[in-house]
Amino acid sequence: PGRSPYRFYALSNIGSLLALLAYPFCIEVYLARGTQTLLWSWGMAAFAVMTAACAWRVWHAPETRPPNPSPSAATADTRPGPRTVLLWFALPACASAALMATTNKLCQDMAVTPFLWVVPLSLYLLTFILSFDNPRWYSRVLFGAALMPAIAAVAWAHFEGVELSMQKQVGIHCAALFVCCMVCHGELFRLRPDPRHLTGYYLAIASGGAIGGALVALVAPMV
């Protein structure tokens, strides 16, 4: 109580990044598929039990409120407006769409290279970690100024096509993805609500990410 819970989101994404990097180099190398399936199933069952236990404790825990909240705290507790909630959906949707599009470009249009898909996903998770760890990692002026040149560089790389070396294409697309996701996730962190609205905030982030992925995977090929 009284502490910001949003750094937990950075820590959870550190776990995702570690798992992403550990799987192809450690788990897949030393464990058979059947063993992986068994361990994953037991792990998911344990996760479900622990989640239920946490929900039970929270449900029965007495609500804690800071004594005599200040006017600023009361203002922070106001319910987010429709525009803010819409941005909670739109910003992660844009970041997810950029991730999917960049991954498709690198791994399908350029080269079918083992583990190349790990690079854009790692950058995507890294921007979540930096944005939610501490506000000092995201500078609106710096990344906002870099966004348009990054988009222009991607457009130029598309125009040049195979004339550009593989290293330059990968570098341009990954740098643009990093800048784009830092802007989206940095602004998303700036729009974080009072912790009592945290559940809706995280649900909007997850839903927006799913929508962005669906736009690239399902809608874009048809249009």
Side-chain angles (χ1 to χ4, degrees), residues 30-41:
Y30 298 107
L31 296 177
R33 294 289 176 86
T35 305
Q36 293 180 41
T37 302
L38 184 63
L39 291 175
W40 186 91
S41 300

Side-chain angles (χ1 to χ4, degrees), residues 48-141:
V49 171
M50 289 188 290
T51 302
C54 289
W56 178 265
R57 291 187 60 183
V58 171
W59 184 266
H60 291 85
E63 185 176 7
T64 56
R65 289 180 176 270
N68 301 322
S70 62
S72 60
T75 303
D77 190 33
T78 57
R79 184 173 296 276
R83 178 180 176 275
T84 299
V85 174
L86 179 62
L87 287 172
W88 290 352
F89 282 96
L91 289 169
C94 289
S96 177
L99 167 66
M100 294 284 290
T102 301
T103 303
N104 289 345
K105 180 65 179 176
L106 296 183
C107 298
Q108 296 180 14
D109 292 351
M110 290 170 50
V112 184
T113 304
F115 304 132
L116 184 58
W117 61 271
V118 172
V119 177
L121 184 53
S122 298
L123 292 174
Y124 173 83
L125 293 173
L126 180 61
T127 60
F128 258 128
I129 294 167
L130 294 176
S131 298
F132 281 80
D133 176 67
N134 195 296
R136 70 172 180 269
W137 299 117
Y138 172 66
S139 168
R140 171 181 272 184
V141 175

Side-chain angles (χ1 to χ4, degrees), residues 126-200:
L126 180 61
T127 60
F128 258 128
I129 294 167
L130 294 176
S131 298
F132 281 80
D133 176 67
N134 195 296
R136 70 172 180 269
W137 299 117
Y138 172 66
S139 168
R140 171 181 272 184
V141 175
L142 176 63
F143 285 100
L147 182 59
M148 289 309 297
I151 295 174
V154 169
W156 176 73
H158 277 288
F159 180 78
E160 292 294 320
V162 294
E163 299 297 325
L164 283 180
S165 66
M166 179 72 64
Q167 291 82 357
K168 288 182 179 179
Q169 292 188 60
V170 171
I172 289 172
H173 285 287
C174 288
L177 173 67
F178 179 78
V179 172
C180 177
C181 289
M182 277 299 297
V183 170
C184 292
H185 295 153
E187 293 299 319
L188 187 63
F189 180 75
R190 290 170 65 95
L191 293 170
R192 67 194 184 279
D194 182 87
R196 71 181 63 245
H197 304 298
L198 176 142
T199 303

